């Protein structure tokens, strides 16, 4: 356990007016601070109503205090929480009074309480990140998944894989060290079986982590199409707000518009873009088209809007303009064709499949068929999230966990090393058991990669970046 010479303090509640405001203090000087301000050190883990005094001994505020002695606290250090009225001025008066007691007391950096908890081995890096994810959660499901990560659900699965890798490494490296002795074929077969299981479990955890990243970050939906296809009308209908300007004049939308909606606990980030066309002489419109193309490259799901009153329902007529405009769309990106303006074409609203693509007919202007589209978006995303990991519906499942892009990259790298190890194992075993240094090295690389998830061997600049994204007081 590491204890710091300086004591940190910060207001933990949001800036503004409120019934209650909380100041958190962590460090060695807690007893001195408590005696100076409160006249006593509060009983551990017992709420006490005490006067908060100024330098002259006069009461500034009556506060509720909670004292958590080291090492059984969030940070592993002494922690004192002071609960007072939630006014901006009064909380800053109390905080200033705390900071003036000693030069060894300073204002906490963003995320420093959580950082100290991590450095003192109270939580691992996954759990530290999940605290920020709970605070930033944009839906019930994201909050629940972040809580599961905080409780160690994600960490336990990674530890399970690491334990198996360690077992293999112990056997393999001892085999290399004693290469002059015969190798037990049964042990080799056992390692081969365990490695196959590790690869399977790593693949599953990657897909689970990808699902968790969707819950954390939400789904990026880009509305795109030719000018005057009704993209902005669809945008307004989806967000249920008159956000985008609608006009019969082609090219009304020149910039990208962003809004966020939730459908049954899943967050969708909706972006309206400028109309795409091959030729334009308008400089502003060209900038809008460029921005639209950039957004399409980052999309999880593209809603390609066509005017059903002027475009046939043939595959080439509908999708060829998109393929010409952006031929290298990410293969993971879902593309859905929206045949808009059914009020003009008199087509029946509905959903069908054409050449493997989902096509939905609707009228954004009349808000007709929008519920069908929303239901489709939710079901499509729910299927992605629970395809590999969730045996029940999103609403019922208790085993979701939050993951970040950092986690996905690490697991992917470890998976590649494991595949390389398997290749080495299969290549060098031709009736005679041979376990080589390259195989052992691949296992070590996979082991080192997965350890990065917990912050082990993680560069200090990355840790600084992670914790600096937290709010002050957390």
């Amino acid at each position: 356990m590491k204890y710091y010479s300086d004591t940190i303090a910060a207001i933990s509640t949001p800036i503004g007016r409120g019934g209650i405001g909380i100041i958190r203090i962590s460090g060695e000087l807690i007893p001195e601070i408590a005696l100076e301000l409160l006249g006593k050190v509060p009983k551990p883990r017992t709420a006490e109503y005490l006067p908060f005094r100024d330098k002259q001994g006069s009461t500034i505020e009556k506060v509720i205090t909670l004292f958590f002695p080291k090492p059984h606290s969030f940070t592993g250090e002494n922690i004192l929480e002071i609960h007072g009225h939630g006014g901006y001025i009064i909380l800053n008066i109390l905080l200033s009074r705390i900071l003036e007691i000693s030069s060894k007391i300073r204002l906490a950096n963003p995320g420093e309480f959580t950082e100290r908890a991590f450095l003192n081995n109270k939580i691992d890096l996954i759990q530290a990140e999940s605290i920020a994810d709970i605070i930033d959660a944009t839906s019930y499901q994201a909050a629940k998944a972040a809580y599961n990560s905080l409780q160690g659900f994600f960490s336990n699965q990674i530890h399970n894989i690491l334990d198996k890798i360690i077992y293999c490494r112990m056997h393999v490296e001892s085999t290399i060290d004693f290469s002059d002795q015969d190798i037990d074929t049964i042990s080799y077969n056992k390692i081969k079986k365990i490695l196959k299981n590790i690869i399977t479990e790593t693949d599953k955890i990657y897909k689970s982590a990808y699902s968790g990243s969707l819950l954390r970050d939400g789904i990026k939906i880009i509305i795109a199409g030719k000018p005057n296809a009704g993209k902005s009308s669809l945008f307004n209908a989806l967000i249920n707000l008159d956000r985008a300007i609608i006009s019969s004049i082609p090219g009304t939308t020149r910039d990208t518009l962003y809004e966020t909606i939730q459908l049954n606990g899943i967050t969708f980030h909706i972006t309206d873009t400028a109309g795409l066309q091959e030729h334009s002489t308008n400089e502003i419109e060209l900038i809008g088209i460029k921005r639209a193309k950039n957004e399409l490259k980052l999309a999880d799901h593209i809603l390609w809007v066509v005017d059903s009153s002027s475009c046939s329902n043939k595959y080439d007529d509908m999708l060829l303009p998109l393929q010409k405009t952006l031929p290298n769309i990410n293969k993971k990106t879902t593309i859905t064709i929206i045949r808009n303006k059914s009020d003009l074409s008199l087509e029946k609203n509905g959903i069908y499949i054409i050449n493997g693509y989902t096509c939905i007919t609707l009228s954004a202007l009349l808000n007709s068929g929008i519920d069908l589209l929303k239901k489709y978006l939710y079901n499509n995303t729910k299927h992605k999230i629970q395809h590999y990991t969730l045996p029940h519906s999103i609403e019922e499942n208790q085993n979701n966990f939050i993951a970040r892009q950092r986690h996905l990259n690490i697991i992917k790298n470890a998976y590649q090393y494991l595949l390389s190890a398997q290749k080495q194992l299969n290549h060098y075993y031709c009736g005679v058991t041979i376990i080589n240094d390259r195989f052992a090295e691949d296992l070590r690389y996979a082991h080192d990669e997965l350890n990065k998830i917990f912050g082990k061997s993680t560069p200090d600049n990355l840790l600084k970046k992670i914790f600096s994204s937290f709010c002050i007081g957390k």
Side-chain angles (χ1 to χ4, degrees), residues 150-216:
L150 180 59
Q151 298 307 303
F153 184 82
F154 186 13
S155 300
N156 291 341
Q157 293 192 50
I158 298 294
H159 277 302
N160 180 53
I161 293 173
L162 281 171
D163 288 344
K164 293 176 181 178
I165 292 177
I166 291 170
Y167 176 87
C168 284
R169 288 190 65 194
M170 287 172 56
H171 182 89
V172 168
E173 290 176 16
S174 64
T175 298
I176 293 172
D177 291 339
F178 300 98
S179 57
D180 56 326
Q181 300 180 18
D182 290 335
I183 302 170
D184 187 356
T185 303
I186 296 178
S187 297
Y188 169 86
N189 289 333
K190 187 173 182 179
I191 285 180
K192 189 175 182 180
K193 183 178 180 180
I194 293 173
L195 181 59
K196 182 179 180 181
N197 176 263
I198 291 171
I199 290 173
T200 300
E201 290 301 314
T202 305
D203 184 50
K204 286 182 179 179
I205 196 72
Y206 177 83
K207 289 164 182 171
S208 297
Y210 176 72
S211 300
S213 71
L214 292 180
L215 282 175
R216 176 183 183 270

Side-chain angles (χ1 to χ4, degrees), residues 210-273:
Y210 176 72
S211 300
S213 71
L214 292 180
L215 282 175
R216 176 183 183 270
D217 300 326
I219 309 300
K220 187 176 180 63
I221 295 180
I222 308 300
I223 300 174
K226 289 183 175 183
N228 210 30
K231 299 182 299 300
S232 295
S233 295
L234 180 63
F235 179 74
N236 287 346
L238 278 173
I239 67 174
N240 197 29
L241 190 68
D242 234 359
R243 176 76 168 78
I245 298 173
I246 298 172
S247 168
S248 59
I249 302 172
T252 304
T253 302
R254 299 294 177 87
D255 206 349
T256 47
L257 300 177
Y258 306 93
E259 287 291 343
T260 297
I261 63 170
Q262 286 187 23
L263 301 176
N264 297 329
I266 300 178
T267 300
F268 294 86
H269 304 290
I270 316 293
T271 302
D272 184 22
T273 60

Side-chain angles (χ1 to χ4, degrees), residues 293-416:
K293 289 180 178 179
N294 290 335
E295 292 290 342
L296 286 168
K297 293 175 184 177
L298 303 173
D300 295 311
H301 195 146
I302 296 172
L303 298 183
W304 181 250
V305 185
V306 299
D307 182 348
S308 64
S309 67
S310 60
C311 177
S312 77
N313 60 1
K314 292 181 180 179
Y315 169 80
D316 285 344
D317 290 343
M318 291 191 291
L319 269 183
L320 199 57
L322 174 61
Q323 294 168 345
K324 284 183 177 180
T325 304
L326 205 69
N328 299 318
I329 295 175
N330 192 322
K331 292 181 179 179
K332 291 184 178 180
T333 303
T334 302
I335 300 174
T336 300
I337 303 168
I338 305 297
R339 287 188 61 78
N340 191 24
K341 303 187 181 182
S342 62
D343 54 307
L344 298 180
S345 66
L346 302 181
E347 293 182 16
K348 184 179 179 181
N349 290 344
I351 182 169
Y352 58 94
I353 306 296
I354 179 168
N355 285 34
Y357 290 89
T358 299
C359 185
I360 301 176
T361 303
L362 53 78
S363 171
L365 183 64
L366 300 182
N367 204 35
S368 177
I370 298 301
D371 288 342
L372 179 68
L373 173 57
K374 288 182 176 180
K375 184 177 180 180
Y376 162 75
L377 290 175
Y378 170 73
N379 287 334
N380 179 269
T381 304
K382 181 178 73 170
H383 175 73
K384 283 184 180 179
I385 293 175
Q386 68 185 32
H387 184 58
Y388 292 99
T389 58
L390 311 184
H392 309 296
S393 71
I394 292 175
E395 295 82 358
E396 297 170 355
N397 191 272
Q398 302 298 312
N399 296 327
N400 300 343
F401 60 83
I402 285 292
R404 299 182 172 203
Q405 188 60 47
R406 181 182 78 86
H407 305 143
L408 294 175
N409 293 339
I410 288 172
I411 298 170
K412 186 177 181 179
N413 290 340
Y415 184 74
Q416 293 302 319

Side-chain angles (χ1 to χ4, degrees), residues 40 58 76 88-89 92 187 225 254 260 269 285 303 321 416 445:
K40 61 175 291 190
S58 300
Y88 175 78
I89 298 300
N92 276 279
S187 297
R254 299 294 177 87
T260 297
H269 304 290
E285 188 173 28
L303 298 183
Q416 293 302 319
Y445 286 149

Side-chain angles (χ1 to χ4, degrees), residues 25-75:
I25 315 167
S26 179
E28 289 290 292
L29 296 183
I30 294 295
E32 179 182 331
I33 293 170
L35 288 172
E36 173 77 15
L37 298 178
L38 309 172
K40 61 175 291 190
V41 178
K43 296 176 183 179
R45 291 175 178 76
T46 302
E48 293 193 50
Y49 188 53
L50 299 171
F52 188 105
R53 304 180 302 187
D54 63 15
K55 276 186 176 181
Q56 289 71 41
S58 300
T59 299
I60 303 173
E61 165 82 304
K62 282 289 189 75
V63 296
I64 294 175
T65 62
L66 287 168
F67 174 48
F68 303 93
K70 65 179 183 183
H72 305 295
S73 70
F74 173 67
T75 61

